[in-house]
Amino acid sequence: MFRRSTIAGHFALGITFSLLGACASAPSATSAHAAIDVPAIRRPQGETPQWWFRSGAAQAAQASAQAHAEGQRAKNVIVFLGDGMSIPTITAAHVLAGQRKGVDGESYRLSFERMPFSALSRTYETDQQTPDSAGTMTAIMSGVKTRAGFIGVSQVPKRQDCAASRGQELVTTLELAAAAGMSTGAVSTARITHATPAATYGHLPERNWEVDAAMPAAVRAEGCKDFAAQLIDFPVANGLTVALGGGRRNFLPAGVADPEYPKKSGARLDGRNLVDEWTSRHPDGKYVWNAVQLDALDLAHTPRLLGLFEPSHMRYEHDRPKDAGGEPSLAQMTRSAIEVLKQNPNGFFLMVEGGRIDHALHAGNAYRALDETISLADAVQAALDATDPAHTLIVVTADHSHTLSFAGYPRRGNPILGKVRGATDSYDEESTAALAHDTTGLPYTTLGFANGPGYTGASDEQPEGPKHFPHQPKHYTAISKGRPDLTDVDTTDPDYMQEATVPLGGETHGGEDVAIFASGPGAAAFHGELEENTIFHVIVQHTPRIRAELCRLGSCNADGVPVDRPTRQAWLQQVAPAMVR
């Protein structure tokens, strides 16, 4: 499908595709035949924000043409992001989900695994083989790959260089949707100012600047604004329609007691009470901080909603029943968000993150990681039940992988969190119900980690041997007794931590491809192996209102395809001229 141009430095994607008309109000789709030229560059040196945007547009258009998805129009878009949800994590989670239901786990499918279309996503960032959540979610939300640690900013400036980031801000799908008159929402089990949700609305060259107290004084003096403040000061008049998650401390000033934990207080140094500001700006909106308050709302008549359910991240699903204040599940937050958002006849854009999948994997605790993945699947099912598939594009993916492995030769039906029972070698004649043993005669588990806090040497927190959640060591000593004997250890216990090969205080991300699952208008374009930033382009090419907003920013070619990276200055000039300096 690729034909190289004779003009040095360029190649043409020789594709034929039909696209929707540039105007969101167009009564019918129009056909166009075009080739999107993308410069042939020396990589990675020649990669630029504009190159990433254009190449993503070309790949999305080609994928759509190959799938005959041209002409499909989405009114609503929901992006589900399983943070760190690697393919081994998905596989192990569907086995666990099936086994919990008393059915065959190996053949069981989670809600999103039943979606009709799927693809692989390449997750590397412009500066790292193994990426972080900031740069990867920025790619998904803006169509441009960038550096690790950057939120809504291109790869051009250095990290934490506030001044150099001016003019390098990337326009996000949520911002485009808001400007186009759609309702918008961000939901997460992490802090709503954490990397993934922040990438829907925020712009900073440092992911850790969630609250002003985390920012150097010089950076604040330069005018960079923390993510909590950016959420509240969202430049489109109506702001985010729905924001649900954790991170309450980032919205409250220092010295103001938390409503759930009186001994804890806010973290802001600027004296702003962002919760009070939000309620003052939106007198028709509702603010809640626990599940009882959320349950009590008449959501069908709630025009906007802010929910902050913990000072920091929300609890793991396994630990949620222990929360005295009461937290909603991810599925409940998803249903609530959709109930509010669907009131808008122009449609909506919603991002939902299962943020604590990643945290459990970093903690080396497979039980909670799989449990959180099942919770995300429940949220996806809630969205499928609450929306019309003819009008709603739903995309489920991950930002990056992790080092969780699914290995050994466990027999069919073996507990996924258990020790391997079955063959020891692929040449064994028959699988048995007996424990498999390593070459020293010790049993081992199906799941393990390449690195992390599950290393069995002695640490400054726990003695040599199996580790138990939570475990956040700063120092280790090398293993002196060999692998621990797991014969009498209950590896299915929720607090058991799988063995890790390399001792680290926290397990790392992985660099391999992750999965994309999709349903609804335009979903067929998700096939094959795509660059992660192409997800944005598939979405905007099949969502007329968002695409029309890009065209108004001068991004579109003659065929109405967004191919040129829009500047945020131009976007601000349209939505909030007074903010443009």
Side-chain angles (χ1 to χ4, degrees), residues 440-459:
T440 69
L442 296 175
Y444 50 92
T445 58
T446 302
L447 302 180
F449 288 95
N451 57 48
Y455 181 74
T456 59
S459 76

Side-chain angles (χ1 to χ4, degrees), residues 91 94-95 98 103-110 113-114 412:
T91 305
H94 77 226
V95 174
V103 300
D104 175 48
E106 288 80 6
S107 64
Y108 185 80
R109 290 175 182 255
L110 299 171
E113 293 180 294
R114 297 192 290 271
R412 185 75 176 262

Side-chain angles (χ1 to χ4, degrees), residues 195-331:
T196 297
T200 67
Y201 63 83
H203 306 273
L204 283 174
E206 175 52 67
R207 60 173 292 172
N208 294 315
W209 291 345
E210 298 183 47
V211 63
D212 64 332
M215 303 172 72
V219 169
R220 296 198 303 270
E222 289 178 329
C224 270
K225 187 182 296 186
D226 62 275
F227 290 124
Q230 287 191 43
L231 188 154
I232 299 301
D233 296 338
F234 192 77
V236 176
N238 289 330
L240 272 75
T241 315
V242 176
L244 301 174
R248 198 162 53 222
R249 70 186 183 201
N250 295 337
F251 293 79
L252 300 176
V256 171
D258 184 87
E260 185 176 2
Y261 307 98
K263 294 183 179 180
K264 296 182 179 181
S265 64
R268 301 199 64 80
L269 299 180
D270 58 8
R272 294 181 67 182
N273 187 318
L274 298 181
V275 173
D276 286 350
E277 289 187 26
W278 185 90
T279 55
S280 295
R281 293 180 191 183
H282 307 295
D284 59 342
K286 299 295 183 183
Y287 167 68
V288 295
W289 61 265
N290 61 52
V292 173
Q293 293 173 344
L294 182 61
D295 285 338
L297 295 178
D298 179 5
L299 293 168
H301 297 92
T302 300
R304 66 183 60 253
L305 176 62
L306 174 65
L308 300 171
F309 300 105
E310 279 289 324
S312 184
H313 302 304
M314 294 178 67
R315 294 193 180 222
Y316 289 109
E317 180 65 20
H318 174 69
D319 304 308
R320 188 167 62 86
K322 305 172 188 176
D323 182 52
E327 294 180 17
S329 67
L330 185 59

Side-chain angles (χ1 to χ4, degrees), residues 451-469:
N451 57 48
Y455 181 74
T456 59
S459 76
D460 55 323
E461 291 190 353
Q462 296 185 24
E464 182 165 344
K467 296 300 184 288
H468 300 277
F469 177 88

Side-chain angles (χ1 to χ4, degrees), residues 310-533:
E310 279 289 324
S312 184
H313 302 304
M314 294 178 67
R315 294 193 180 222
Y316 289 109
E317 180 65 20
H318 174 69
D319 304 308
R320 188 167 62 86
K322 305 172 188 176
D323 182 52
E327 294 180 17
S329 67
L330 185 59
Q332 182 183 359
M333 290 194 292
T334 301
R335 282 191 296 269
S336 299
I338 293 172
E339 188 70 15
V340 174
L341 296 172
K342 71 181 183 182
Q343 298 173 51
N344 189 338
N346 293 332
F348 63 82
F349 174 85
L350 172 64
M351 190 288 298
V352 179
E353 182 198 22
R356 307 231 64 191
I357 301 170
D358 175 76
H359 297 162
L361 291 167
H362 279 308
N365 181 230
Y367 180 96
R368 284 176 174 78
L370 306 189
D371 198 45
E372 292 296 307
T373 303
I374 294 169
S375 177
L376 177 71
D378 291 342
V380 173
Q381 187 59 56
L384 290 167
D385 294 341
T387 56
D388 184 345
H391 301 300
T392 306
L393 171 60
I394 298 181
V395 181
V396 183
T397 189
D399 45 358
H400 54 74
S401 182
H402 271 270
T403 73
L404 180 72
S405 65
F406 187 139
Y409 297 100
R411 68 200 308 253
R412 185 75 176 262
N414 198 65
I416 190 62
L417 293 164
K419 296 178 278 286
V420 172
R421 293 182 179 272
T424 300
D425 190 277
S426 63
Y427 291 99
D428 287 352
E429 293 182 0
E430 188 173 349
S431 182
T432 72
L435 284 173
H437 295 87
D438 66 15
T439 52
T440 69
L442 296 175
Y444 50 92
T445 58
T446 302
L447 302 180
F449 288 95
N451 57 48
Y455 181 74
T456 59
S459 76
D460 55 323
E461 291 190 353
Q462 296 185 24
E464 182 165 344
K467 296 300 184 288
H468 300 277
F469 177 88
H471 182 223
Q472 299 174 305
K474 294 181 176 62
H475 303 288
Y476 273 108
T477 56
I479 296 171
S480 63
K481 302 174 185 177
R483 285 192 61 244
D485 185 351
L486 300 179
T487 304
D488 297 322
V489 175
D490 181 8
T491 63
T492 66
D493 186 284
D495 292 336
Y496 174 76
M497 293 173 59
Q498 285 67 28
E499 292 178 67
T501 305
V502 177
L504 290 176
E507 180 263 358
T508 73
H509 297 168
E512 69 269 23
D513 291 358
V514 296
I516 307 170
F517 303 90
S519 67
F526 289 106
H527 63 90
E529 186 183 47
L530 304 174
E531 292 287 0
E532 193 163 40
N533 60 305

